[in-house]
Amino acid sequence: MKVLIANIGSTSFKYRLFDMSNEAVLAKGGYERVTDYGDAIEKSLAEMKASGALTRLEDLAAVGFKTVLAKGILGCAELTEDVLKAMEAMNDVAPSHNPPYIAGIRKFREKLPRTPLIGLFETAWNANAPEAGQRYAVSEQWCEWGVRRYGYHGASHRYVTERVAKLLGRDDLRVISCHLGGSSSIGAARGLRSFGNSLGMSPQSGVPHNNRVGDLDSFAIPFLMKSHGLTLDQVVKAMNKEGGLLGISGVSNDIRDVDAAAKQGNKRAQLALDVFTHSIRHWIGAFMLQLNGADAIVFTAGIGENRTEIRAGVCKDLDWFGIKLDAQKNAVVQRGQEAVISADDSRTKIMVVPTNEEIVVAREAVKLLESKRK
Ligand code: AMP
Protein backbone atom coordinates (compact mmCIF):
# COMPACT_ATOMS: atom_id res chain seq x y z
CA MET A 1 0.00 0.00 0.00
CA LYS A 2 1.46 3.37 -1.07
CA VAL A 3 0.77 6.46 1.03
CA LEU A 4 1.95 9.94 0.12
CA ILE A 5 2.58 12.40 2.94
CA ALA A 6 2.38 16.08 1.99
CA ASN A 7 3.99 18.66 4.23
CA ILE A 8 2.61 22.09 3.38
CA GLY A 9 4.27 25.25 4.69
CA SER A 10 3.29 28.85 4.01
CA THR A 11 5.82 28.96 1.14
CA SER A 12 6.99 25.37 0.83
CA PHE A 13 5.73 21.97 -0.27
CA LYS A 14 7.52 18.76 0.70
CA TYR A 15 6.50 15.16 0.15
CA ARG A 16 7.44 11.63 1.07
CA LEU A 17 6.01 8.50 -0.54
CA PHE A 18 5.91 5.39 1.63
CA ASP A 19 5.42 1.73 0.83
CA MET A 20 3.51 0.83 3.98
CA SER A 21 4.17 -2.90 3.64
CA ASN A 22 7.67 -2.23 5.02
CA GLU A 23 7.58 1.54 5.69
CA ALA A 24 10.24 2.12 3.02
CA VAL A 25 10.53 5.63 1.59
CA LEU A 26 10.00 5.27 -2.16
CA ALA A 27 10.45 8.94 -3.02
CA LYS A 28 10.90 12.28 -1.34
CA GLY A 29 11.35 15.84 -2.47
CA GLY A 30 9.84 19.26 -2.36
CA TYR A 31 9.85 22.87 -3.38
CA GLU A 32 10.64 26.13 -1.60
CA ARG A 33 9.22 29.57 -2.40
CA VAL A 34 5.98 28.01 -3.62
CA THR A 35 3.34 30.44 -4.91
CA ASP A 36 1.06 27.87 -6.54
CA TYR A 37 0.46 24.62 -4.63
CA GLY A 38 -1.28 23.09 -7.66
CA ASP A 39 1.90 23.51 -9.67
CA ALA A 40 4.10 22.04 -6.91
CA ILE A 41 1.76 19.05 -6.51
CA GLU A 42 1.71 18.47 -10.27
CA LYS A 43 5.51 18.56 -10.49
CA SER A 44 5.92 16.28 -7.45
CA LEU A 45 3.51 13.66 -8.85
CA ALA A 46 5.36 13.83 -12.19
CA GLU A 47 8.70 13.26 -10.38
CA MET A 48 7.30 10.22 -8.59
CA LYS A 49 6.03 8.80 -11.87
CA ALA A 50 9.30 9.52 -13.71
CA SER A 51 11.35 7.77 -11.02
CA GLY A 52 9.10 4.72 -11.16
CA ALA A 53 8.12 5.13 -7.49
CA LEU A 54 4.48 5.63 -8.47
CA THR A 55 3.53 4.20 -11.83
CA ARG A 56 -0.19 5.02 -11.64
CA LEU A 57 -1.96 7.64 -9.53
CA GLU A 58 -4.57 4.99 -8.68
CA ASP A 59 -1.85 3.14 -6.75
CA LEU A 60 -1.97 5.86 -4.09
CA ALA A 61 -4.05 4.45 -1.22
CA ALA A 62 -4.19 7.87 0.47
CA VAL A 63 -2.54 11.24 0.83
CA GLY A 64 -1.81 12.10 4.45
CA PHE A 65 -1.34 15.54 5.98
CA LYS A 66 0.10 16.70 9.30
CA THR A 67 -2.84 19.04 9.76
CA VAL A 68 -2.77 21.43 12.69
CA LEU A 69 -6.09 22.37 14.22
CA ALA A 70 -9.80 21.99 13.45
CA LYS A 71 -12.76 22.91 15.61
CA GLY A 72 -14.01 19.85 17.44
CA ILE A 73 -11.62 17.34 15.77
CA LEU A 74 -8.70 16.07 17.81
CA GLY A 75 -7.67 12.86 16.02
CA CYS A 76 -7.19 11.46 12.55
CA ALA A 77 -9.90 12.28 10.01
CA GLU A 78 -10.74 12.08 6.34
CA LEU A 79 -10.47 15.64 5.02
CA THR A 80 -14.00 16.19 3.78
CA GLU A 81 -15.33 19.66 3.05
CA ASP A 82 -16.87 19.73 6.56
CA VAL A 83 -13.47 19.06 8.11
CA LEU A 84 -11.87 21.79 5.99
CA LYS A 85 -14.57 24.18 7.25
CA ALA A 86 -13.75 23.15 10.82
CA MET A 87 -10.10 23.99 10.08
CA GLU A 88 -11.12 27.34 8.62
CA ALA A 89 -13.03 28.09 11.83
CA MET A 90 -9.66 28.00 13.64
CA ASN A 91 -7.63 30.07 11.14
CA ASP A 92 -7.18 32.89 13.67
CA VAL A 93 -5.53 30.49 16.10
CA ALA A 94 -3.16 28.96 13.54
CA PRO A 95 -2.76 31.72 10.95
CA SER A 96 0.61 30.50 9.64
CA HIS A 97 -0.48 26.87 9.38
CA ASN A 98 -4.17 26.35 8.62
CA PRO A 99 -4.64 28.58 5.52
CA PRO A 100 -1.78 27.01 3.50
CA TYR A 101 -2.88 23.50 4.48
CA ILE A 102 -6.48 24.17 3.47
CA ALA A 103 -5.34 25.62 0.13
CA GLY A 104 -3.00 22.68 -0.51
CA ILE A 105 -5.61 20.06 0.44
CA ARG A 106 -8.16 21.66 -1.90
CA LYS A 107 -5.61 21.47 -4.72
CA PHE A 108 -5.05 17.76 -3.98
CA ARG A 109 -8.82 17.24 -4.07
CA GLU A 110 -8.87 18.77 -7.58
CA LYS A 111 -5.97 16.63 -8.80
CA LEU A 112 -6.91 13.36 -7.07
CA PRO A 113 -10.70 13.44 -6.63
CA ARG A 114 -10.99 9.73 -5.82
CA THR A 115 -8.03 9.35 -3.44
CA PRO A 116 -8.77 9.57 0.29
CA LEU A 117 -7.14 12.65 1.83
CA ILE A 118 -6.45 12.08 5.52
CA GLY A 119 -5.29 14.49 8.21
CA LEU A 120 -3.63 13.58 11.48
CA PHE A 121 -4.19 16.67 13.58
CA GLU A 122 -1.19 17.88 15.56
CA THR A 123 -3.46 18.09 18.59
CA ALA A 124 -4.26 14.36 18.50
CA TRP A 125 -1.45 13.07 20.71
CA ASN A 126 -2.10 15.46 23.58
CA ALA A 127 -5.88 15.08 23.50
CA ASN A 128 -5.83 12.38 26.20
CA ALA A 129 -3.47 14.23 28.56
CA PRO A 130 -4.85 14.99 32.05
CA GLU A 131 -7.60 17.60 31.94
CA ALA A 132 -5.87 19.77 34.56
CA GLY A 133 -3.01 20.32 32.14
CA GLN A 134 -5.27 21.19 29.24
CA ARG A 135 -7.63 23.55 31.02
CA TYR A 136 -7.04 27.29 31.21
CA ALA A 137 -8.64 29.04 34.17
CA VAL A 138 -11.42 30.48 32.03
CA SER A 139 -15.19 30.13 32.14
CA GLU A 140 -17.01 27.04 30.96
CA GLN A 141 -18.32 29.12 28.08
CA TRP A 142 -14.83 30.00 26.78
CA CYS A 143 -13.76 26.41 27.18
CA GLU A 144 -16.74 25.28 25.09
CA TRP A 145 -15.77 27.84 22.46
CA GLY A 146 -12.42 26.04 22.23
CA VAL A 147 -10.15 28.10 24.47
CA ARG A 148 -7.95 25.33 25.87
CA ARG A 149 -4.35 24.15 25.90
CA TYR A 150 -4.36 21.70 23.00
CA GLY A 151 -0.63 21.15 22.61
CA TYR A 152 0.95 20.58 19.19
CA HIS A 153 3.81 18.76 17.43
CA GLY A 154 1.84 15.65 18.31
CA ALA A 155 3.28 13.49 15.53
CA SER A 156 6.83 14.36 16.55
CA HIS A 157 6.38 13.85 20.31
CA ARG A 158 4.57 10.60 19.63
CA TYR A 159 7.30 9.34 17.30
CA VAL A 160 10.06 10.21 19.78
CA THR A 161 8.22 8.71 22.76
CA GLU A 162 7.49 5.45 20.96
CA ARG A 163 11.01 5.27 19.55
CA VAL A 164 12.59 5.78 22.99
CA ALA A 165 10.34 3.04 24.41
CA LYS A 166 11.60 0.73 21.69
CA LEU A 167 15.25 1.68 22.14
CA LEU A 168 15.12 1.29 25.92
CA GLY A 169 12.86 -1.77 25.78
CA ARG A 170 10.21 -0.43 28.15
CA ASP A 171 6.79 1.06 27.61
CA ASP A 172 6.23 2.47 31.10
CA LEU A 173 8.68 5.35 30.66
CA ARG A 174 8.45 8.99 31.65
CA VAL A 175 9.75 10.80 28.58
CA ILE A 176 10.32 14.52 28.16
CA SER A 177 10.77 15.30 24.47
CA CYS A 178 12.23 18.60 23.33
CA HIS A 179 11.14 19.35 19.77
CA LEU A 180 13.37 22.33 19.01
CA GLY A 181 13.17 23.72 15.50
CA GLY A 182 11.62 26.62 13.61
CA SER A 183 8.83 26.17 16.09
CA SER A 184 9.57 24.47 19.38
CA SER A 185 7.74 22.62 22.09
CA ILE A 186 8.42 20.49 25.12
CA GLY A 187 6.26 17.39 25.46
CA ALA A 188 5.86 15.02 28.35
CA ALA A 189 4.62 11.45 28.21
CA ARG A 190 4.08 8.64 30.67
CA GLY A 191 3.57 5.06 29.54
CA LEU A 192 3.18 5.94 25.85
CA ARG A 193 0.49 8.55 26.52
CA SER A 194 0.95 12.28 26.36
CA PHE A 195 1.01 13.96 29.75
CA GLY A 196 1.39 17.55 28.58
CA ASN A 197 2.81 19.98 26.07
CA SER A 198 4.23 23.49 26.29
CA LEU A 199 2.17 24.69 23.33
CA GLY A 200 -1.23 25.97 24.33
CA MET A 201 -4.33 26.96 22.41
CA SER A 202 -2.20 28.13 19.50
CA PRO A 203 1.08 26.92 17.97
CA GLN A 204 2.48 30.34 18.90
CA SER A 205 2.77 29.77 22.66
CA GLY A 206 5.17 27.96 25.02
CA VAL A 207 8.91 28.39 24.43
CA PRO A 208 10.01 31.15 22.02
CA HIS A 209 10.04 30.10 18.36
CA ASN A 210 12.13 31.31 15.42
CA ASN A 211 10.00 34.42 14.90
CA ARG A 212 6.91 33.70 17.01
CA VAL A 213 6.63 35.00 20.50
CA GLY A 214 5.95 31.96 22.68
CA ASP A 215 4.29 32.57 26.05
CA LEU A 216 3.21 36.15 26.65
CA ASP A 217 0.95 37.55 29.33
CA SER A 218 -2.37 38.12 27.55
CA PHE A 219 -2.73 41.53 29.24
CA ALA A 220 0.21 42.82 27.17
CA ILE A 221 -2.24 42.98 24.25
CA PRO A 222 -4.76 45.54 25.62
CA PHE A 223 -1.78 47.48 27.02
CA LEU A 224 -0.10 47.69 23.60
CA MET A 225 -3.38 48.61 21.92
CA LYS A 226 -4.72 51.13 24.41
CA SER A 227 -1.51 52.74 25.70
CA HIS A 228 0.60 52.56 22.54
CA GLY A 229 -2.03 52.77 19.82
CA LEU A 230 -1.22 49.50 18.02
CA THR A 231 -4.03 47.87 16.09
CA LEU A 232 -4.95 44.24 16.71
CA ASP A 233 -3.51 43.32 13.30
CA GLN A 234 -0.20 44.98 14.19
CA VAL A 235 -0.03 43.14 17.50
CA VAL A 236 -0.85 39.81 15.87
CA LYS A 237 1.75 40.35 13.14
CA ALA A 238 4.40 41.32 15.68
CA MET A 239 3.67 38.23 17.82
CA ASN A 240 3.56 35.95 14.79
CA LYS A 241 6.37 37.25 12.62
CA GLU A 242 8.56 39.62 14.59
CA GLY A 243 8.99 37.86 17.93
CA GLY A 244 10.97 34.83 19.09
CA LEU A 245 14.69 34.54 18.35
CA LEU A 246 14.33 37.22 15.68
CA GLY A 247 12.55 39.66 17.97
CA ILE A 248 15.05 39.44 20.80
CA SER A 249 18.22 39.24 18.70
CA GLY A 250 17.23 41.63 15.91
CA VAL A 251 19.57 39.45 13.81
CA SER A 252 17.72 36.50 12.30
CA ASN A 253 15.09 33.86 12.91
CA ASP A 254 17.70 31.12 12.28
CA ILE A 255 19.59 30.00 15.35
CA ARG A 256 22.79 29.52 13.31
CA ASP A 257 22.89 33.25 12.51
CA VAL A 258 21.92 34.20 16.07
CA ASP A 259 24.67 31.98 17.45
CA ALA A 260 27.28 33.39 15.05
CA ALA A 261 26.34 36.94 16.09
CA ALA A 262 26.48 36.01 19.79
CA LYS A 263 29.96 34.55 19.31
CA GLN A 264 31.02 37.89 17.82
CA GLY A 265 29.84 39.68 20.96
CA ASN A 266 26.29 40.70 19.98
CA LYS A 267 24.55 40.94 23.39
CA ARG A 268 21.00 40.82 22.06
CA ALA A 269 21.85 37.65 20.14
CA GLN A 270 23.28 36.09 23.29
CA LEU A 271 20.16 37.13 25.21
CA ALA A 272 17.97 35.44 22.58
CA LEU A 273 19.87 32.17 23.12
CA ASP A 274 19.65 32.59 26.90
CA VAL A 275 15.89 33.25 26.85
CA PHE A 276 15.36 30.23 24.60
CA THR A 277 17.40 27.94 26.86
CA HIS A 278 15.83 29.32 30.03
CA SER A 279 12.35 28.66 28.72
CA ILE A 280 13.17 25.09 27.65
CA ARG A 281 14.55 24.38 31.15
CA HIS A 282 11.45 25.94 32.69
CA TRP A 283 9.20 23.48 30.87
CA ILE A 284 11.43 20.48 31.47
CA GLY A 285 11.46 21.33 35.16
CA ALA A 286 7.68 21.67 35.29
CA PHE A 287 7.14 18.29 33.65
CA MET A 288 9.81 16.56 35.74
CA LEU A 289 7.94 17.59 38.86
CA GLN A 290 4.56 16.53 37.52
CA LEU A 291 5.94 13.16 36.42
CA ASN A 292 7.99 12.64 39.59
CA GLY A 293 11.15 12.40 37.50
CA ALA A 294 12.08 11.48 33.96
CA ASP A 295 13.54 8.32 32.48
CA ALA A 296 14.61 10.14 29.34
CA ILE A 297 15.05 13.70 28.13
CA VAL A 298 15.17 13.63 24.35
CA PHE A 299 16.20 16.24 21.80
CA THR A 300 14.76 16.33 18.28
CA ALA A 301 14.11 18.55 15.21
CA GLY A 302 16.44 21.04 13.49
CA ILE A 303 17.88 22.64 16.62
CA GLY A 304 17.52 19.66 18.96
CA GLU A 305 19.31 17.33 16.53
CA ASN A 306 22.02 19.76 15.40
CA ARG A 307 22.90 22.29 18.12
CA THR A 308 25.42 20.85 20.57
CA GLU A 309 25.59 24.09 22.59
CA ILE A 310 21.83 24.35 23.07
CA ARG A 311 21.68 20.75 24.35
CA ALA A 312 24.60 21.49 26.66
CA GLY A 313 22.94 24.69 27.93
CA VAL A 314 19.64 22.94 28.59
CA CYS A 315 21.33 20.11 30.54
CA LYS A 316 23.75 22.31 32.49
CA ASP A 317 23.93 22.05 36.29
CA LEU A 318 21.32 19.37 36.81
CA ASP A 319 23.55 17.14 38.93
CA TRP A 320 21.33 17.66 41.99
CA PHE A 321 18.69 15.73 40.01
CA GLY A 322 21.24 13.09 39.01
CA ILE A 323 21.07 14.29 35.39
CA LYS A 324 24.49 14.43 33.77
CA LEU A 325 25.37 15.16 30.18
CA ASP A 326 28.53 13.58 28.73
CA ALA A 327 30.14 16.55 26.94
CA GLN A 328 32.19 14.30 24.68
CA LYS A 329 29.20 12.22 23.55
CA ASN A 330 27.18 15.40 23.04
CA ALA A 331 29.89 16.91 20.86
CA VAL A 332 30.15 14.03 18.41
CA VAL A 333 26.49 13.38 17.61
CA GLN A 334 26.31 12.85 13.87
CA ARG A 335 23.53 14.47 11.90
CA GLY A 336 20.53 12.19 11.51
CA GLN A 337 21.78 9.66 14.07
CA GLU A 338 20.22 8.41 17.27
CA ALA A 339 22.51 8.79 20.27
CA VAL A 340 22.61 8.56 24.05
CA ILE A 341 24.54 11.62 25.27
CA SER A 342 24.23 11.25 29.04
CA ALA A 343 27.01 10.05 31.31
CA ASP A 344 26.89 6.38 32.24
CA ASP A 345 25.89 7.23 35.83
CA SER A 346 23.17 9.73 34.86
CA ARG A 347 19.81 8.87 36.48
CA THR A 348 17.98 10.13 33.40
CA LYS A 349 19.05 9.12 29.91
CA ILE A 350 19.67 12.13 27.68
CA MET A 351 19.16 11.25 24.04
CA VAL A 352 19.06 12.63 20.52
CA VAL A 353 16.38 11.00 18.34
CA PRO A 354 15.77 12.40 14.84
CA THR A 355 12.05 12.84 14.45
CA ASN A 356 9.95 11.20 11.73
CA GLU A 357 6.56 12.86 11.79
CA GLU A 358 5.68 11.60 8.32
CA ILE A 359 5.71 7.93 9.28
CA VAL A 360 3.38 8.62 12.22
CA VAL A 361 0.90 10.30 9.85
CA ALA A 362 1.24 7.46 7.32
CA ARG A 363 0.63 4.79 9.99
CA GLU A 364 -2.49 6.56 11.26
CA ALA A 365 -3.77 7.03 7.70
CA VAL A 366 -3.45 3.29 7.09
CA LYS A 367 -5.27 2.56 10.39
CA LEU A 368 -8.12 4.87 9.35
CA LEU A 369 -8.39 3.26 5.92
CA GLU A 370 -8.43 -0.22 7.48
CA SER A 371 -11.06 0.74 10.06
CA LYS A 372 -13.26 2.11 7.25
CA ARG A 373 -12.93 -1.13 5.29
CA LYS A 374 -14.17 -3.24 8.21
P1 AMP B 1 13.00 22.53 11.78
O1 AMP B 1 11.82 23.41 12.01
O2 AMP B 1 12.99 21.30 12.60
O3 AMP B 1 13.26 22.29 10.32
O4 AMP B 1 14.28 23.37 12.31
C1 AMP B 1 14.70 24.56 11.68
C2 AMP B 1 15.73 25.27 12.54
O5 AMP B 1 16.74 24.34 13.00
C3 AMP B 1 16.48 26.33 11.73
O6 AMP B 1 15.89 27.58 11.91
C4 AMP B 1 17.86 26.30 12.33
O7 AMP B 1 17.89 27.24 13.36
C5 AMP B 1 18.03 24.92 12.93
N1 AMP B 1 18.86 24.03 12.09
C6 AMP B 1 18.43 23.30 11.06
N2 AMP B 1 19.44 22.59 10.53
C7 AMP B 1 20.54 22.87 11.25
C8 AMP B 1 21.91 22.46 11.19
N3 AMP B 1 22.36 21.60 10.29
N4 AMP B 1 22.74 22.98 12.09
C9 AMP B 1 22.29 23.83 13.00
N5 AMP B 1 21.03 24.27 13.12
C10 AMP B 1 20.15 23.80 12.25
Side-chain angles (χ1 to χ4, degrees):
M1 182 188 283
K2 290 182 183 178
V3 174
L4 177 67
I5 302 300
N7 188 337
I8 301 173
S10 50
T11 59
S12 66
F13 175 84
K14 293 184 203 139
Y15 68 87
R16 231 179 254 197
L17 178 67
F18 289 98
D19 176 349
M20 292 308 288
S21 64
N22 57 2
E23 298 193 346
V25 177
L26 300 175
K28 64 178 187 176
Y31 294 88
E32 302 287 342
R33 286 190 275 273
V34 169
T35 49
D36 177 352
Y37 292 114
D39 189 40
I41 294 166
E42 202 71 70
K43 283 189 196 149
S44 302
L45 291 171
E47 278 168 17
M48 285 177 256
K49 275 188 175 173
S51 71
L54 185 69
T55 33
R56 301 174 324 147
L57 290 181
E58 300 81 70
D59 291 343
L60 264 187
V63 184
F65 301 84
K66 194 164 58 80
T67 40
V68 175
L69 178 66
K71 192 164 176 53
I73 301 168
L74 293 168
C76 185
E78 186 152 357
L79 297 166
T80 59
E81 196 50 37
D82 283 350
V83 174
L84 294 189
K85 292 228 166 72
M87 288 173 71
E88 262 165 2
M90 296 311 248
N91 276 358
D92 284 333
V93 184
S96 313
H97 302 86
N98 270 12
Y101 257 108
I102 295 165
I105 291 162
R106 288 216 163 100
K107 285 286 176 195
F108 264 105
R109 166 103 23 261
E110 274 172 43
K111 310 260 173 224
L112 303 171
R114 279 181 296 280
T115 309
L117 308 183
I118 295 173
L120 176 63
F121 285 90
E122 284 283 71
T123 47
W125 171 241
N126 199 50
N128 296 318
E131 176 67 9
Q134 294 196 54
R135 178 69 192 243
Y136 289 121
V138 296
S139 67
E140 207 51 32
Q141 173 72 85
W142 282 27
C143 196
E144 277 164 25
W145 281 339
V147 178
R148 52 191 288 118
R149 184 185 292 285
Y150 297 108
Y152 294 83
H153 288 149
S156 181
H157 291 295
R158 178 173 182 175
Y159 176 81
V160 166
T161 302
E162 291 177 352
R163 184 72 193 143
V164 168
K166 206 162 199 177
L167 290 170
L168 301 184
R170 275 175 54 190
D171 58 12
D172 61 342
L173 297 169
R174 297 156 297 175
V175 177
I176 297 177
S177 41
C178 306
H179 178 110
L180 310 177
S183 69
S184 297
S185 67
I186 313 303
R190 178 159 54 198
L192 298 180
R193 273 171 83 99
S194 180
F195 181 86
N197 188 280
S198 62
L199 287 165
M201 182 184 178
S202 79
Q204 272 77 252
S205 50
V207 304
H209 308 276
N210 58 354
N211 59 357
R212 285 172 281 140
V213 67
D215 279 348
L216 176 73
D217 189 323
S218 51
F219 277 82
I221 296 170
F223 167 75
L224 290 164
M225 292 175 69
K226 290 186 178 167
S227 301
H228 293 278
L230 300 189
T231 65
L232 183 59
D233 283 348
Q234 286 172 324
V235 174
V236 170
K237 180 166 172 259
M239 293 192 300
N240 209 24
K241 303 243 184 267
E242 296 154 8
L245 293 174
L246 172 67
I248 305 173
S249 71
V251 171
S252 167
N253 65 7
D254 191 308
I255 203 161
R256 290 166 282 198
D257 303 329
V258 178
D259 193 44
K263 288 200 169 96
Q264 284 170 4
N266 183 322
K267 290 202 165 55
R268 281 178 59 186
Q270 184 58 53
L271 182 63
L273 298 175
D274 292 347
V275 171
F276 185 56
T277 307
H278 187 95
S279 176
I280 296 164
R281 285 166 64 91
H282 169 92
W283 280 99
I284 292 176
F287 287 136
M288 272 185 57
L289 195 81
Q290 299 282 7
L291 293 171
N292 189 18
D295 298 292
I297 295 174
V298 194
F299 291 92
T300 195
I303 297 173
E305 291 168 31
N306 294 301
R307 301 305 299 184
T308 309
E309 300 96 327
I310 293 290
R311 293 194 298 260
V314 169
C315 298
K316 194 171 166 216
D317 295 338
L318 297 178
D319 43 324
W320 189 83
F321 298 93
I323 300 174
K324 293 182 209 160
L325 188 77
D326 182 315
Q328 185 60 28
K329 289 182 193 163
N330 184 37
V332 298
V333 175
Q334 297 289 318
R335 195 167 183 194
Q337 272 188 357
E338 292 172 340
V340 174
I341 56 172
S342 42
D344 293 345
D345 62 343
S346 178
R347 184 179 295 163
T348 297
K349 284 239 178 335
I350 308 171
M351 303 170 76
V352 178
V353 174
T355 194
N356 187 349
E357 297 160 288
E358 290 81 3
I359 195 64
V360 173
V361 180
R363 286 173 189 161
E364 290 303 300
V366 170
K367 269 193 219 159
L368 188 74
L369 289 176
E370 283 171 352
S371 73
K372 288 206 163 170
R373 254 183 231 139
K374 276 179 197 157

